[in-house]
Amino acid sequence: YYTASGFYSSYLIQEMIQGCVRAAVEHGTYAVTLPITKDNNPNNLNLRQFNHLREGDIVIFNGSWAIEIYSILKKCKCRLGYVTDREFNFFENTDLDCYHLYWGPYWNCLGDAVMQLKKDGAEKILYFGRQQTDISKYGKASFFNAHSDAGLECNENFYFLYDAEMSFPQTLQLLKELYNTYRFDGLIFDSNLYSMQSTFPDFYQETGIPHGVRMICNVSEFLRYS
């Protein structure tokens, strides 16, 4: 299971689930996804979902909630696979069979994003991200190092952090002001928009950013346009 969040990439979740299904089919078994909680609250886990587990079953999860069900997993003698964005060693000194995939410093993806935008033709790239997120706190060096390696124009103003408490329309207005000031042709947008939102203002109309500006963002639903 995974810690559901509006900011989770649906692509990553699809890949994880489809990978589980492929592996299960190859080994003559099947994969099950569990609705572990209705309100995304680790204090309200539905532990009855685990009653069917048997010895040797593989439990794959993304996040830290498995600590809450450790006693169940230990009793069932399950095998574990888990993915985290931080070092997480809770199960390593237990008698459970575990495989841990640690993403490492994933905020280095900002450097990869700069190089991808340059490859797509961008020459002036702006990072516009929430000041409270790890990617914003720790990704600055990766962002500027990539600019230096690529020989791109850059200054401190191209790494702009905003308060995540701002409403989405407010962030678009701020982004409009930044575009009018710097006329960037590449944008990395760490949005404060939850992906479960169903209606969005017109991104291009609200910001004045041309369709030709290359963009990498964490939530892409708002980019729909005719």
Side-chain angles (χ1 to χ4, degrees):
Y1 69 99
Y2 52 87
T3 47
S5 163
F7 294 111
Y8 259 89
S9 164
S10 58
Y11 173 77
L12 289 179
I13 292 172
Q14 278 185 349
E15 288 293 292
M16 182 172 70
I17 294 176
Q18 290 176 8
C20 294
V21 171
R22 285 193 298 269
V25 170
E26 290 173 4
H27 290 83
T29 182
Y30 58 92
V32 177
T33 57
L34 300 179
I36 188 169
T37 169
K38 291 183 178 180
D39 57 5
N40 199 32
N41 186 336
N43 296 319
N44 296 326
L45 301 182
N46 182 359
L47 300 182
R48 289 176 297 176
Q49 296 290 344
F50 299 96
N51 289 342
H52 71 284
L53 291 175
R54 300 163 300 183
E55 181 175 346
D57 281 353
I58 303 172
V59 178
I60 300 176
F61 64 92
N62 177 354
S64 58
W65 289 0
I67 293 176
E68 306 292 335
I69 59 169
Y70 167 70
S71 60
I72 295 175
L73 299 177
K74 182 176 181 180
K75 181 179 178 181
C76 297
K77 298 182 180 179
C78 293
R79 291 175 289 168
L80 297 181
Y82 56 104
V83 182
T84 64
D85 55 9
R86 293 177 178 82
E87 293 190 74
F88 181 66
N89 302 319
F90 182 80
F91 294 106
E92 291 187 0
N93 295 320
T94 71
D95 54 0
L96 288 176
D97 184 11
C98 300
Y99 178 79
H100 178 204
L101 176 61
Y102 168 47
W103 289 355
Y106 65 93
W107 40 84
N108 287 339
C109 68
L110 289 187
D112 298 331
V114 168
M115 300 306 292
Q116 181 62 52
L117 290 171
K118 180 182 183 295
K119 181 180 178 182
D120 290 344
E123 297 182 356
K124 185 183 290 187
I125 300 169
L126 181 96
Y127 176 68
F128 186 66
R130 295 164 290 165
Q131 60 188 230
Q132 293 92 333
T133 60
D134 285 349
I135 196 170
S136 292
K137 292 176 182 177
Y138 309 121
K140 189 173 183 178
S142 176
F143 178 82
F144 283 113
N145 288 340
H147 273 81
S148 177
D149 293 343
L152 295 172
E153 173 190 356
C154 195
N155 63 56
E156 287 289 326
N157 295 326
F158 288 6
Y159 198 84
F160 190 93
L161 305 184
Y162 66 92
D163 192 330
E165 297 302 317
M166 293 177 64
S167 68
F168 187 61
Q170 286 177 314
T171 63
L172 296 187
Q173 181 60 37
L174 184 54
L175 197 50
K176 180 178 182 179
E177 296 171 7
L178 290 170
Y179 179 74
N180 289 337
T181 301
Y182 299 111
R183 296 290 173 175
F184 50 82
D185 58 3
L187 173 65
I188 305 171
F189 186 9
D190 172 40
S191 169
N192 62 341
L193 177 73
Y194 279 98
S195 61
M196 68 276 290
Q197 184 168 330
S198 58
T199 60
F200 312 100
D202 187 293
F203 175 84
Y204 296 100
Q205 181 177 325
E206 295 295 319
T207 62
I209 294 176
H211 292 165
V213 170
R214 307 297 186 185
M215 194 182 322
I216 293 176
C217 51
N218 62 326
V219 179
S220 59
E221 286 93 330
F222 62 84
L223 293 179
R224 300 186 185 119
Y225 62 94
S226 60

